[in-house]
């Protein structure tokens, strides 16, 4: 994806340079033939040129419209992939059981928090008075707190709520449990990161294994090597793993948890299939060939049609119109294929990195890779 | 968002002033060169001008169409955010358990009402005869009540139903319970208000903490400071908190409640991701640059094409057409980015305030901030 | 909404009368100035007029397209409101428990039927042989029944099935129960009627209380007066009431019933929010102002461009084109705001009446208000 | 709906005959007046004609676009009705309990199969070895079976699997149960057939009772006669009946079954409401009247504009253009109303028949009505 | 579907050859008649030609737009079919019970894995320490693993994780169970493969039985022969089979599993119905006939309009414009019917093969048919 506000001329020329040059040369040849060698039969009246121009314009717009719709659908699918990845991980952290031995005791049916943030969610309300105080404070002082909303620093309200920052007991033992309990959850969240990377490579026809290796157990990677459609296989694997993990919970409740997580897996499968559809099914080739052929035919006719009126300005006008039509045709052809490693590619590598950062932070990890930066105004 | 019916000329000029002036100057120069200095080779025939005009018009329409679609999608997403916020809060008030000690007794499995309105929902039907009377009255007298429907004041039907306004016993003790029971609910609803404010700041690349501070416990705010994607983290926090709160309810029922609330959290995550998609993925730059370049090229050609026919009127006609084309190009560029603090921004601050008012009123609070008013015909 | 096939000229003139007259006068003035006073510099060549015409046409189409999409979305939302109202009422009648004392006995776990129709649903199959006979008859005789399908009267098949109309015992005691049991259901269905009326007034910025008074208990109406967003408050109230009513059913089953009804309430909230979105967010003002300005500029240029060719016919041609462009601009402006009490309003009052008739008939009521009739070809 | 590839000229002429003839006559009159009586002031320059033509074309396309969208939405709704009817019937056959006495025994909790096909689904796997053998056979021999896939006849694989066609015991007693158990299911499936026929008549403003009589018990038909909205009433009736039938199943399980079937009923209600929306809400009349008026105004101007150039060819050219514009206007007007018994109607009668055939075959019936055939190239 | 980048000229000529030739001949005849025989009355002014050209272009674009939308909807439906097939199979493997005797024991409530991949999902976490170690390793070494992400080979992290590849006990006995348990699952997954093949043949009006025979028990195939709508019947059969299989699981849990699988069957039914809708409902014939007639009328007028200006170039220009218009008309007609075995067909056979490969690999089969390859640049 081109990120910079002003695309470098290198890209523009790569798109349009050669064909525009060709047509300018043709126009120059026509001018010379017409004015120097007086081949006046070359001069065609302007009428058919006018007629064709409108139709070519409409045709190019129709084509760019379809191409842009495909591109935006592809981008929306990857946006959904970001959402579903986050939601799936959130659900894994919420719905997976704790370790089996603790599940029966009341207090441990809550999943152990993976990160400092999640610890605040689980710990701050020990049935007791703290919460009542907390909320009372927030609400009673709210007129002032709103003032804090406008003036960013709001020292008063922070102070007012400060009493709640007193240490809570029972916190020390959490980290001990923390290491072991979220093992299943971490494995599933890692599998999700692996899935998005596998999907990226699948769409770009690259070998997925270097990218997904860090996120799976080696035995899983080995088994995946035998699969023809790696992303599909990962979803099936996650499904079986979830079923395995949730079999520790009694029947009906297990099914209810599985139902929720199953919906997210179905969403992943739908996103995968829709990306494959866009990848494998181009716009009917006829809609590709017709505008292309017509633009070229039109640009051959154009100098003939205007040479008698414009004379020496013919190559200049031809260049402007050729640039517009050829650029629109080339952009349409490019945007139409959003998974081809071209300039207009959906920035899948960057999105995979974003997902990895988000999901690993949910797991409470702190050594995260940096977001991908654009290079030369391009983001892949 | 521009709210006033007639946008101030200040905005219009800011958009189009400079470039239109430039092109009018160019046109004037062309007229002078043509008529005073008799540089007649400048006069181009009108044909290519006509040809380009239609294509530029179609191109600008295609571009404005895409831009408007993005803008409307962004607005629809924030509309969904309003809906989901209200629905999430309604569900929190409906599905969260009462305090654990009371859950087992039949009468208290109903959540305590937060506001006067909700008290009417919970109290007015104590299994007994009142309801039968009430409804009998409404239905029996309905022919008359319909009359009341047309004549606004309808004193008769109000009087007829007035007997029901007799005091109900058992009401006095509600406020006592009220303070403590809805603590969890209030915390979650406040977190939802915090989420929408965090999303607003996230999209406008602003520091979210001044805005979300009043709605969270200080320890949560501290933990959130470590997160890279604050809105995502808030949703994950709400999910863990819900799981914690609902762990007081027996297994299967707890899962059913969690399923419903989980759907709302998934909706929030989807809205967040879709907003990020619109924010981070501009329309392919080519569709931005091509119309812009073409409008400018066209406006340079225009005076050359019409100077021989129009003479001194050339600058005037150029001004009109330049205004139309430049304004359409600028509007498209502006509307295309709905989260950039520009004139065409989605009024996110106002929507956040609306959500805050609605949600806090659901909690029974009465000291509410006023809705945001537009300034200078602009609403942010 | 304009209902009549041929809109009265009064409406047409109200839209276009004055501006068209102005432009015809201008055109007449131009003709007089040109031909009588020989101000020939007024005659502009036809070219820029042609150029602008196409662009103005495309711009007006783009604008009318967006306006129509908004209008149709608004109409679709109110169509969904009709559907959801019917579905919510159907679900209330199906899923609400009978009176608590009877719930435990097997036979009474079926809701008592509110209307004669619903009695046929509940009564006709008392576990016994009747049904087998009934269906056997339908199927065995079906060759003949199909004949009845083509020939409307089908006396034979009616006679064949007539034996089933014999009186069923146990029917007499239904009406006795009927009065009291559906009290909760009736209250909720009435609340739904109140909701649609409140939404209508909310969107038209009218006082909702005269319209919703007949459908609520006075104490609820009083409590609603304190709410800023009345329709939202009604949905929250219905949610709390449902929770209250269903608390009589054992835990898990209650949650399952609540889940279904909760979905309908979420739909109502989404419809409400989407209507508010259309109401509060106009098409970006720029798209409103640009076509308007351009149409007027074009219509000033038009007589100048054609006066030399058309002479005395100029005002006539100007009138025709002015009518077309001004009408399209005015219609777009009007259709774009579907909740403003204008000619193109969604007929919300009529739809509210339709919903009221449908829902009260579901409750078995027979004294129903008549459907709203159009006045002067307009339906509000 | 017009089915034939080449529509009969009768239809074409009915659409366009008269108005085209009128305009050809006008054009002839203009030619005679111009050339014979030399009324040269009639000859208008071609310019305004050109200007208007493009705008009229764009306007007609916008209108036909909206009309086609409505038509396709209507068709899609009836397609969904086909799907939902099949799904509802499938669910009725799957989720309705067997006869109450047998429900408790393990083996009879499976619904009795209605047709020969469904018997294969229920019978072929009596816990035992057969299935293992069956599937083993399929899989082991699959290389060969694939050959059969390409060569249609595949005698080998049929032979190989032939051992499984050995008679199974316990089959003889199925038909005995079969008659009585599916009575509830048959009644509900028949009600579904009745619903689609009632909806068809409702949309065409016809009396539904001749069509729905064969599918309901006479007492239900009698009760339906009192209802204002018959299709709505049928859905409510089905809902109550389902609740009645499922009350024989224990609480939670009954609710789960009801939840699934309830979703299909909600879909039916949504389809019904959406059809009513299209039926009752025309495209804003202004978009109907403006193109119509403009086409006629244009066709009056046209001969004036071209008579000086074309002379005697004027009526011919007028006829061609009049045919195009009048046909497009008429087709738009026709396609815009898909439920009006016009040539462009959705073929609802044929779809009702298709649904009837599909659903009755699911019930195991074999004497089915034939599909509806088009008459004169039209299908209703 | 045309796959090659450059469609063979054979296809192009088949589409446009004859009609273009006819119009070129007509144009040549006009030129000869005009210049040789001096039939000058043939020369029509260019104006009406210009007028019609724009309208014909807009009309063709509108038509191709609708046609392409249908084609893309058809492709999207088959994409959804791929997704739903994979999801259904995944759900079958996840939610179907193991053999009844083992269901009660804790360890066997997990479905036996069908493939090597799924064995890794079920086996790798025997409650014990392995997993904790595994994940700890992945996380602790992650900085290095990220390096591996960039450098594909990553020997270090593989080595680090290598300890986990130690043999696990208990694996040997899995294959024994494996053969028998997945019999039900395999039968259902095969039925799904049969369904997509039956749908393909149903849409192409071919005999489905050669294609579906290998995937069903012969008794099922026999029963299917009596069905009018084979794909519908297969879905109903799968529904009954699922109900049969899941009747081995206790009530509520069985219903929850059935609910999930039921959703996938509903999706299949919806896809089937939507494909039938596109197959059976062409674009209203009027939109087919009008552009066709207009293109031909225009191409007859064209040589008359340009012969006086272009002279001998007339046939050449006619050929170019005729090719553009006829090709667009023909492509629209072709793309509009995506299930007709034409060049623009959705490649259903290839998609069926893809589904078969994916699903059979999920079952752990290794002898898979190869993907379908395009022939002559066409994929069916």
């Amino acid at each position: 994806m081109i990120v910079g506000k002003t695309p470098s001329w290198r890209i523009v020329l790569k798109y349009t340079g050669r064909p525009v040059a060709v047509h300018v040369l043709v126009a120059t040849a026509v001018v010379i033939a017409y004015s120097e060698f007086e081949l006046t039969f070359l001069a065609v009246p302007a009428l058919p040129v006018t007629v064709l121009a409108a139709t070519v314009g409409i045709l190019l717009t129709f084509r760019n419209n379809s191409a842009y719709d495909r591109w935006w659908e592809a981008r929306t699918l990857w946006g959904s992939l970001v959402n579903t990845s986050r939601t799936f991980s959130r659900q894994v952290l919420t719905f997976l059981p704790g370790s089996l031995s603790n599940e029966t005791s009341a207090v441990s049916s809550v999943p152990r928090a993976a990160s400092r943030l999640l610890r605040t969610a689980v710990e701050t309300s020990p049935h007791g008075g703290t919460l009542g105080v907390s909320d009372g404070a927030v609400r009673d002082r709210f007129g002032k707190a709103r003032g804090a909303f406008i003036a960013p620093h709001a020292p008063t309200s922070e102070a007012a709520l400060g009493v709640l920052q007193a240490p809570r007991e029972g916190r020390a033992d959490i980290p001990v449990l923390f290491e072991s309990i979220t093992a299943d959850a971490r494995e599933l969240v890692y599998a999700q990161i692996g899935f998005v990377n596998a999907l990226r490579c699948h769409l770009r026809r690259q070998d997925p294994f270097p990218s997904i290796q860090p996120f799976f157990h080696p035995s899983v990677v080995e088994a995946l090597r035998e699969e023809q459609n790696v992303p599909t296989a990962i979803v099936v694997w996650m499904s079986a793993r979830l079923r395995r993990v949730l079999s520790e919970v009694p029947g009906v409740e297990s099914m209810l948890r599985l139902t929720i997580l199953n919906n997210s897996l179905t969403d992943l499968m739908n996103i995968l299939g829709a990306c494959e559809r866009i990848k494998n099914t181009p716009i009917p080739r006829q809609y590709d060939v017709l505008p292309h052929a017509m633009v070229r035919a039109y640009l051959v006719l154009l100098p003939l049609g205007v040479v008698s009126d414009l004379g020496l300005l013919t190559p200049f006008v031809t260049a402007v119109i050729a640039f517009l039509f050829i650029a629109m045709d080339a952009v349409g052809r490019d945007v139409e294929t959003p998974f081809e490693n071209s300039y207009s590619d959906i920035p899948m590598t960057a999105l995979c990195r974003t997902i990895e950062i988000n999901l690993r932070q949910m797991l409470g990890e702190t050594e995260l890779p940096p977001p991908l930066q654009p290079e030369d105004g391009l983001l892949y």
Side-chain angles (χ1 to χ4, degrees), chain A:
Chain A
M1 197 179 65
I2 302 172
V3 177
K5 272 278 172 187
T6 47
S8 68
W9 284 101
R10 198 166 42 79
I11 295 176
V12 172
L13 284 181
K14 175 145 182 282
Y15 268 124
T16 58
R18 261 185 32 147
V20 168
V22 166
H23 284 291
V24 169
L25 284 180
V26 168
T28 312
V30 166
V31 171
I32 293 168
Y34 180 78
S35 47
E36 298 300 310
F37 301 96
E38 309 211 340
L39 302 174
T40 51
F41 71 88
L42 277 174
V44 158
L47 184 78
V49 175
T50 315
V51 170
L52 273 182
T55 314
V56 169
I58 292 170
L59 198 56
L60 281 174
T61 304
F62 162 60
R63 189 259 178 84
N64 274 284
N65 231 347
S66 307
Y68 173 67
D69 282 353
R70 281 169 65 93
W71 187 85
W72 191 238
E73 188 189 354
R75 180 63 187 83
T76 302
L77 286 169
W78 271 80
S80 300
L81 188 58
V82 174
N83 304 346
T84 309
S85 298
R86 290 171 178 165
T87 291
F88 178 75
S89 303
R90 176 179 66 72
Q91 288 171 339
V92 161
L93 292 176
T94 311
F95 289 106
L96 244 55
S99 66
L100 190 63
S101 55
N102 290 357
E103 183 75 20
T104 43
S105 72
V107 74
S108 66
S109 67
V110 186
R112 291 314 168 286
S115 67
R116 182 178 161 193
L117 176 69
L118 294 191
R119 276 200 294 273
T120 68
V122 182
E123 289 170 48
T124 31
S125 69
H127 300 307
T130 352
L131 244 185
V133 175
S134 148
D135 280 73
V138 171
R139 192 194 38 162
D140 290 344
R141 304 189 59 95
F142 210 78
K144 288 198 187 76
R146 286 298 306 175
F149 173 52
I150 288 149
H153 301 296
T156 335
S157 82
E158 270 190 272
L161 294 166
V163 287
L164 293 164
Q165 288 178 317
R168 275 171 299 279
E169 53 286 312
R171 190 172 182 174
D173 57 310
I174 291 290
V176 180
L177 291 170
F178 170 58
E179 286 303 307
S180 60
I181 326 176
T182 53
D184 284 331
R186 190 182 312 121
E187 202 175 22
L188 279 160
V189 171
Y190 271 46
Q192 174 63 26
I193 305 177
F195 170 76
V196 297
N197 281 291
L199 177 54
R200 166 173 61 81
C201 297
H202 182 65
L203 292 173
R204 286 185 175 151
R205 307 239 187 278
Q206 297 169 337
D207 175 20
F209 289 98
S211 301
I212 69 174
Q213 226 168 25
F215 304 111
F216 290 98
H217 206 276
S219 64
V220 180
V221 172
E222 278 317 298
L224 283 174
R225 280 190 200 278
E226 290 169 13
E227 297 287 329
Q228 294 201 15
N229 191 316
V230 175
T232 301
I234 294 178
V235 174
V236 175
W237 183 88
M238 293 200 290
S239 185
R241 175 62 101 189
L242 272 172
R243 183 81 177 83
R244 178 74 188 78
V245 170
L246 286 171
S247 67
E248 298 169 6
V249 179
V252 174
E253 198 184 328
S254 164
M255 273 300 141
L256 285 169
R257 298 182 187 207
L258 205 45
T259 302
I260 291 172
L261 288 156
N262 174 63
N263 286 344
S264 295
L265 293 182
T266 301
D267 288 349
L268 291 182
M269 206 68 115
N270 288 342
I271 290 168
L272 157 64
C275 286
E276 286 181 344
R277 163 169 53 84
I278 290 176
K279 172 76 180 184
N280 294 332
T281 310
I283 286 181
R285 289 260 71 84
Q286 299 95 317
Y287 293 130
D288 229 45
V289 173
L290 270 182
H292 189 68
M294 273 303 123
V295 163
R296 294 311 174 87
Y298 179 73
L299 291 177
V300 168
L301 274 180
L302 183 65
L304 307 180
V306 295
V307 69
S308 62
D309 288 331
L310 293 181
L312 291 173
L313 285 173
T314 300
F316 174 65
V317 168
T318 301
V320 170
I321 295 179
F323 174 73
L324 174 61
F325 280 178
I326 287 173
M328 281 196 70
D329 183 45
V331 169
R333 194 182 312 278
D334 200 42
V335 164
E336 169 189 323
T337 53
F339 299 133
E340 298 288 354
N341 269 329
S342 71
Y343 290 133
S344 299
D345 231 22
I346 299 294
M348 290 189 284
T349 312
L351 289 167
C352 283
R353 185 67 64 88
T354 301
I355 291 172
E356 185 181 339
I357 296 172
N358 288 169
L359 265 52
R360 290 177 64 196
Q361 194 161 31
M362 278 192 208
L363 290 173
E365 297 185 22
T366 50
E367 294 176 30
L368 304 170
L372 209 68
Q373 295 305 321
E375 291 178 31
D376 283 333
L378 292 174
L379 198 65
Y380 279 101

